[in-house]
Amino acid sequence: LNFSVQILGSNSALAAHGRFPTAQVVQHNNSFFLIDCGEGTQMRMSHFHVKRSKIQHIFISHLHGDHYFGLIGLLTSYHLMGRTAPLTIYGPPLLEEIIQLQLNASNSQLGYTLQFVPTTTDGKQLIYDSPELQVFTFPLKHRIDTTGFLFQEKVGKRKINKSSTALLGLQANDFLSLRDGKNVAVNGHTFENESLTFAPPVARSYAYCSDTCFLPELKEYIQGVDLLYHEATFMQEEALKASQTFHSTTLQAGEIAKLAEVKQLVIGHFSSKYADLEAPLKEAKSVFPNTILAIEGSVFQIERAAIQHLNYSH
Amino acid sequence: LNFSVQILGSNSALAAHGRFPTAQVVQHNNSFFLIDCGEGTQMRMSHFHVKRSKIQHIFISHLHGDHYFGLIGLLTSYHLMGRTAPLTIYGPPLLEEIIQLQLNASNSQLGYTLQFVPTTTDGKQLIYDSPELQVFTFPLKHRIDTTGFLFQEKVGKRKINKSSTALLGLQANDFLSLRDGKNVAVNGHTFENESLTFAPPVARSYAYCSDTCFLPELKEYIQGVDLLYHEATFMQEEALKASQTFHSTTLQAGEIAKLAEVKQLVIGHFSSKYADLEAPLKEAKSVFPNTILAIEGSVFQIERAAIQHLNYSH
């Protein structure tokens, strides 16, 4: 089961050095989610052969242009391309007014249903819930209301150990009980659940934090995630500028990753002052070695934790 | 004195085949004007090394997204790049509300003055007037209110023929009269203006027509322009679709050029169905031979008419 993140844009504010403003696609099994949608995102989708028609949920972190100016173009293109599948957009309340005003101005009725779900910065909020996956918002700290997004796989049911159960003559409801983690009784004898089942696959998680100043409180929302995307707009020498603009530095991104004990860190939202990204990467790694760059086009697979992590979820 | 048009985007509706939605830069001497601003225009400016900071006037033909979705990003980038020079935007009245709503959402005050001049579809209207150049809007016929733009050089003053005037002992006010086309009297003898002056340089003109259905009435607004940009979204085989969507075909664009006796025609706003543009070009040329394609990056110089056209302006 695939769980991955593809970077479509990694630059802050302006496009520069061939880098586009923020956008990324999260795939979880057969579900596709877009996070942020800077100007030119639809061109990046074409460039990287993203199957844009599969996206049914779009999450917008905040209303600075480099995170959403490409949205109205994408929505319009969907219409022109004949989309009929409904689309849900999660973002700050004003986003709906902005989009509707522009749709009204063009005097066109979309050929698909567009639904808006307003986000708030009031703690952790569940905004998407499917049998396999939940998405939560949580507050970041920026110049305007901004939320991060946490993609959390649901813990699946336990798996039947067929070699242990083969000769017990169990009934259908016994199997249901076992999958739910309950013990079962056969002819008066109680079998411990763990003797007849395997643990379910470990639930994976991805957290997205952009844009934000250094915010240690993030730890409570993103503790132990498998992959953390955290903005690192500036290197440490620009710490003052980062603070003034409510952005983070490479060292601060690494520090958050360490505090939250995440498994891997991806840094992005690079200032245009960095044509080359090796120095920012090196600086982040000095705090959190398992750091990688959000190079556009890259696909990061979120793997299930290795065997030694199997107990982690119990 | 330079008068040129650079194409930044030539595709209709969606970006495709490496072509971007509509945008072009008109240069007249030291003045720079942007016409339309589809998504990604600022990236095209970077790509083609357009000196975007020199643009002080932006003309938006109508509020379909492929003609203006890149505007808010450009305006925001100007701010981020430290622009202080004022900027004037000419377009449909609702454009101001759309832009202001998005600026308000980002809670930022632009570092430069932004002025909006609403356009109307009420006949020919002068919207820009400098000592050298005038810009007029005129109504096109599309699914929503749309205007074309006519860039018209002013006829300059006549030039003194120094070899004819050298021995006449003319006074300063005599020279002013001659430049204004008046005759002068010296010692009771009247000299015809044309015996002492040369005709001023021929005034050049450029007309922009996108988007519009076939509209023979355009003739009155664009008669005899040196260069006409006219949309040619479809080839003639799609005439029905062109009619239904209020667009023009290649043959219709050529027909307008012929009716209006323009000197050269540039066709653009190509449907994504045409990966190759040779067939549309050939079709337009069958009606109006002096037709060229709006290839992105191309700069079309609007030359002064040749000698045999010198009498044209008198």
Side-chain angles (χ1 to χ4, degrees):
Chain A
L1 293 182
N2 189 29
F3 190 10
S4 63
V5 179
Q6 181 167 24
I7 307 297
L8 302 183
S10 67
N11 213 56
S12 70
L14 305 164
H17 316 301
R19 303 192 301 252
F20 276 63
T22 303
Q24 45 186 259
V25 174
V26 175
Q27 177 179 2
H28 185 262
N29 299 338
N30 294 316
S31 298
F32 292 76
F33 309 88
L34 178 66
I35 303 180
D36 284 343
C37 188
E39 181 177 357
T41 294
Q42 57 175 325
M43 288 81 166
R44 293 312 257 177
M45 288 176 168
S46 298
H47 185 74
F48 293 124
H49 307 292
V50 170
K51 291 174 181 147
R52 74 183 76 182
S53 64
K54 293 196 170 181
I55 294 170
Q56 299 199 324
H57 302 274
I58 300 178
F59 302 95
I60 301 294
S61 63
H62 66 300
L63 296 184
H64 280 156
D66 56 328
H67 292 256
Y68 87 98
F69 281 167
L71 180 59
I72 182 65
L74 180 65
L75 299 181
T76 304
S77 294
Y78 276 141
H79 170 68
L80 293 170
M81 294 161 89
R83 181 184 181 111
T84 56
L87 186 67
T88 306
I89 298 176
Y90 310 75
L94 201 53
L95 182 58
E96 179 170 7
E97 184 180 343
I98 291 170
I99 297 298
Q100 290 296 1
L101 179 61
Q102 292 178 88
L103 292 176
N104 293 347
S106 73
N107 197 27
S108 55
Q109 290 290 320
L110 294 182
Y112 60 94
T113 302
L114 191 59
Q115 190 193 347
F116 287 87
V117 176
T119 54
T120 77
T121 53
D122 186 18
K124 184 177 176 180
Q125 302 280 352
L126 177 67
I127 54 168
Y128 171 87
D129 195 10
S130 80
E132 296 182 326
L133 185 76
Q134 291 181 316
V135 182
F136 300 88
T137 58
F138 53 89
L140 301 175
K141 193 170 178 185
H142 195 43
R143 303 195 301 278
I144 56 175
D145 282 357
T146 305
T147 67
F149 300 104
L150 173 67
F151 289 71
Q152 179 66 61
E153 270 188 331
K154 287 185 177 172
V155 176
K157 293 181 182 290
R158 297 186 67 84
K159 304 229 175 266
I160 305 298
N161 181 340
K162 288 181 183 167
S163 63
S164 306
T165 56
L167 303 173
L168 296 180
L170 297 178
Q171 305 299 308
N173 59 345
D174 293 326
F175 286 112
L176 291 177
S177 295
L178 286 173
R179 289 202 189 90
D180 285 340
K182 297 173 186 158
N183 299 335
V184 291
V186 182
N187 297 331
H189 178 74
T190 295
F191 290 87
E192 294 289 321
N193 183 289
E194 295 193 0
S195 69
L196 302 181
T197 64
F198 300 115
V202 175
R204 296 165 291 181
S205 52
Y206 171 61
Y208 172 90
C209 299
S210 184
D211 297 354
T212 188
C213 65
F214 179 62
L215 192 64
E217 306 93 288
L218 283 183
K219 177 176 183 284
E220 68 174 291
Y221 301 119
I222 63 175
Q223 180 68 37
V225 296
D226 294 282
L227 185 67
L228 167 66
Y229 173 92
H230 195 288
E231 71 131 294
T233 307
F234 297 107
M235 291 185 67
Q236 197 59 28
E237 62 187 3
E238 297 281 356
L240 179 62
K241 187 163 187 190
S243 164
Q244 287 167 340
T245 56
F246 289 76
H247 282 297
S248 298
T249 67
T250 44
L251 292 189
Q252 290 167 343
E255 193 61 38
I256 294 293
K258 199 162 75 174
L259 277 172
E261 300 176 284
V262 309
K263 306 213 172 41
Q264 187 166 40
L265 169 66
V266 187
I267 55 171
H269 201 261
F270 308 113
S271 165
S272 297
K273 66 169 45 190
Y274 308 115
D276 185 87
L277 299 172
E278 284 311 307
L281 176 61
K282 190 176 171 191
E283 201 171 73
K285 280 186 163 190
S286 73
V287 178
F288 192 81
N290 195 9
T291 300
I292 49 181
L293 291 169
I295 300 297
E296 295 178 16
S298 297
V299 179
F300 303 116
Q301 296 290 342
I302 303 172
E303 306 289 353
R304 297 198 185 283
I307 295 297
Q308 64 267 35
H309 291 140
L310 269 179
N311 291 328
Y312 177 77
S313 64
H314 302 300
Chain B
L1 294 182
N2 189 31
F3 189 10
S4 64
V5 179
Q6 181 167 24
I7 306 298
L8 301 182
S10 67
N11 213 56
S12 71
L14 305 164
H17 316 301
R19 303 192 302 251
F20 277 63
T22 303
Q24 46 185 260
V25 175
V26 175
Q27 178 181 0
H28 185 263
N29 300 337
N30 294 317
S31 298
F32 292 76
F33 308 88
L34 178 66
I35 304 179
D36 284 343
C37 188
E39 182 178 357
T41 294
Q42 57 175 324
M43 288 80 166
R44 292 311 256 177
M45 288 177 168
S46 298
H47 185 73
F48 294 123
H49 307 292
V50 171
K51 290 174 181 147
R52 75 184 75 183
S53 64
K54 292 195 169 181
I55 294 170
Q56 299 199 324
H57 302 275
I58 300 177
F59 302 94
I60 301 295
S61 64
H62 66 300
L63 295 184
H64 280 156
D66 56 329
H67 293 257
Y68 87 99
F69 281 168
L71 180 59
I72 181 66
L74 180 64
L75 299 181
T76 304
S77 294
Y78 276 142
H79 171 68
L80 294 170
M81 294 161 90
R83 180 185 182 113
T84 56
L87 186 67
T88 306
I89 298 175
Y90 310 75
L94 201 52
L95 182 58
E96 179 170 6
E97 184 180 343
I98 291 171
I99 296 299
Q100 290 296 0
L101 179 61
Q102 291 178 88
L103 292 177
N104 293 346
S106 73
N107 198 26
S108 55
Q109 288 292 318
L110 294 182
Y112 60 94
T113 301
L114 191 60
Q115 191 193 346
F116 287 88
V117 176
T119 55
T120 77
T121 52
D122 185 19
K124 184 177 175 179
Q125 301 279 352
L126 178 66
I127 54 168
Y128 171 86
D129 195 10
S130 80
E132 295 182 327
L133 185 75
Q134 291 182 315
V135 182
F136 300 88
T137 57
F138 53 89
L140 301 175
K141 194 170 176 184
H142 194 44
R143 303 195 301 277
I144 57 175
D145 282 358
T146 305
T147 69
F149 299 104
L150 172 67
F151 289 70
Q152 178 67 59
E153 270 188 331
K154 286 186 178 173
V155 176
K157 293 182 183 289
R158 296 184 69 83
K159 305 226 174 270
I160 304 299
N161 181 339
K162 289 182 183 168
S163 63
S164 306
T165 56
L167 302 174
L168 294 180
L170 297 178
Q171 305 299 309
N173 60 346
D174 293 326
F175 286 111
L176 292 177
S177 294
L178 286 173
R179 287 201 190 89
D180 285 342
K182 297 172 187 159
N183 300 333
V184 292
V186 181
N187 298 330
H189 178 74
T190 296
F191 291 86
E192 294 290 320
N193 183 288
E194 295 195 357
S195 69
L196 302 181
T197 64
F198 298 116
V202 175
R204 296 166 290 182
S205 53
Y206 171 61
Y208 172 90
C209 299
S210 185
D211 298 354
T212 188
C213 66
F214 179 62
L215 192 63
E217 306 93 287
L218 283 183
K219 178 176 183 285
E220 67 174 292
Y221 301 119
I222 62 174
Q223 180 69 35
V225 297
D226 294 283
L227 185 65
L228 168 65
Y229 173 92
H230 195 290
E231 73 130 292
T233 307
F234 296 106
M235 291 183 68
Q236 198 58 28
E237 63 188 2
E238 297 281 356
L240 179 62
K241 187 161 187 192
S243 165
Q244 288 166 341
T245 57
F246 289 77
H247 282 299
S248 298
T249 67
T250 45
L251 292 190
Q252 290 167 342
E255 193 62 38
I256 294 292
K258 199 163 75 172
L259 277 172
E261 300 176 284
V262 309
K263 306 213 171 41
Q264 189 167 38
L265 170 66
V266 187
I267 54 171
H269 201 262
F270 308 114
S271 165
S272 297
K273 67 169 45 189
Y274 307 116
D276 185 87
L277 300 172
E278 285 310 307
L281 176 62
K282 191 176 169 191
E283 202 171 72
K285 279 186 164 190
S286 74
V287 177
F288 192 81
N290 195 9
T291 300
I292 49 181
L293 291 170
I295 299 297
E296 294 178 15
S298 297
V299 179
F300 303 117
Q301 297 290 341
I302 303 173
E303 306 291 353
R304 296 199 185 283
I307 295 298
Q308 64 267 34
H309 291 139
L310 269 177
N311 291 326
Y312 177 77
S313 65
H314 302 303

